[in-house]
Amino acid sequence: MPKPPLKPDAAVLNGMRMFDGLPLEALEAVIAAGQTRLVPKGTTVFMQGAKALTCHALLDGRIKIQQTGPDGQQVVVQFVGPGEMYGTLAMFLKSGYPGDAVTLTDSVEIVWSADAMLRLMLEHPQIALNTLGMLGNRLEDLQTRLRELSTQRVERRVAHALLRLAKQAGKPVEAGVEIDFPLSRQDLAEMTGTTLHTVSRIVSGWESEGIVEGGRQQVVVARPDRLLAIAEDLPPAPKRP
């Protein structure tokens, strides 16, 4: 991976929700307050329960946020892609980071100390307002996932998870839409509150029907329409005569 510039252009912040509406001068101040760094694949960026001393903007690569319960069971909370912030809302939690952040690929990020980010929020209140909006979106996402866990069959939950990941990190390929980072069946099980055996049975069935294609930690959604029908519990389309 090429070495990133020590101070990237402020344009890298364009499109990041936290910095929406800031003038160029403010974006340059945000860049100046942070540090750009390479994070090798497999690195634990921060650990669950640790005091939130830093917040992060991912420029390139993929991050998985996973949470471990008291019984040792792991849950994948979030996948983070380029242009997304992570570890930021934890600054306002007494319990610290809500999960471990682990790089799935070699990654490049900007990192700020919590103190530096709080100073930026005071100097540029729009950042604080944007952060409140991010918090609202996160709560909405969590409510959606909780509703799915409480009310939906596991097939629908797995279908919804794959559709969300395809929307977030999908790239067009000849066979359909490929989820552009390593994704194991165990990851899917942890995202959807079920077992590896159940996810393997479901995904294998979809592979035989041509709905998805899989390889080693790779998933291609070959028939998004069929997957959407499963997710929304729609009746199957009539077969052509």
Side-chain angles (χ1 to χ4, degrees):
M1 174 179 290
K3 186 176 180 179
L6 293 178
K7 293 296 181 184
D9 189 275
V12 300
L13 301 179
N14 290 339
M16 292 189 185
R17 174 72 183 276
M18 195 168 182
F19 308 116
D20 278 353
L22 292 182
L24 178 59
E25 182 180 352
L27 293 175
E28 291 174 343
V30 171
I31 289 289
Q35 177 187 1
T36 307
R37 65 181 186 179
L38 292 169
V39 189
K41 177 182 177 181
T43 299
T44 299
V45 180
F46 53 72
M47 297 185 67
Q48 179 176 336
K51 186 176 180 180
L53 299 176
T54 56
C55 53
H56 308 255
L58 190 64
L59 302 182
D60 188 42
R62 294 286 170 183
I63 304 285
K64 177 170 69 174
I65 311 294
Q66 58 188 22
Q67 191 176 82
T68 303
D71 59 356
Q73 184 173 354
Q74 290 188 327
V75 176
V76 175
V77 177
Q78 182 186 9
F79 287 101
V80 181
E84 295 182 324
M85 303 288 297
Y86 70 102
T88 303
L89 301 179
M91 292 191 303
F92 305 102
L93 301 177
K94 292 183 179 180
S95 56
Y97 293 114
D100 297 339
V102 181
T103 53
L104 298 176
T105 64
D106 290 340
S107 300
V108 180
E109 69 169 10
I110 305 175
V111 59
W112 295 267
S113 70
D115 287 342
M117 185 56 70
L118 289 172
R119 284 196 301 270
L120 287 168
M121 288 181 178
L122 291 173
E123 293 169 3
H124 308 284
Q126 186 65 45
I127 299 177
L129 291 174
N130 291 341
T131 302
L132 286 174
M134 291 167 57
L135 178 59
N137 289 343
R138 187 66 53 82
L139 288 174
E140 187 176 29
D141 290 342
L142 290 174
Q143 288 173 342
T144 297
R145 290 182 64 175
L146 181 60
R147 182 174 65 251
E148 291 174 0
L149 286 170
S150 301
T151 64
Q152 294 184 1
R153 293 179 293 106
V154 64
E155 290 86 355
R156 293 186 63 192
R157 301 202 304 266
V158 175
H160 273 299
L162 286 175
L163 287 169
R164 278 195 294 265
L165 293 175
K167 181 179 179 179
Q168 175 192 5
K171 68 174 183 180
V173 294
E174 185 176 353
V177 179
E178 181 180 20
I179 296 173
D180 192 23
F181 61 85
L183 178 69
S184 69
R185 293 185 178 185
Q186 182 63 45
D187 290 333
L188 274 176
E190 292 174 7
M191 289 182 70
T192 54
T194 188
T195 65
L196 174 60
H197 173 77
T198 299
V199 166
S200 294
R201 174 181 56 80
I202 291 170
V203 174
S204 294
W206 291 346
E207 287 176 344
S208 67
E209 296 178 35
I211 298 173
V212 300
E213 297 181 7
R216 180 174 172 78
Q217 295 196 341
Q218 294 295 326
V219 177
V220 175
V221 178
R223 293 288 307 276
D225 56 329
R226 293 280 304 278
L227 200 59
L228 180 62
I230 294 169
E232 299 301 330
D233 205 21
L234 301 176
K239 294 183 179 180
R240 296 178 180 178

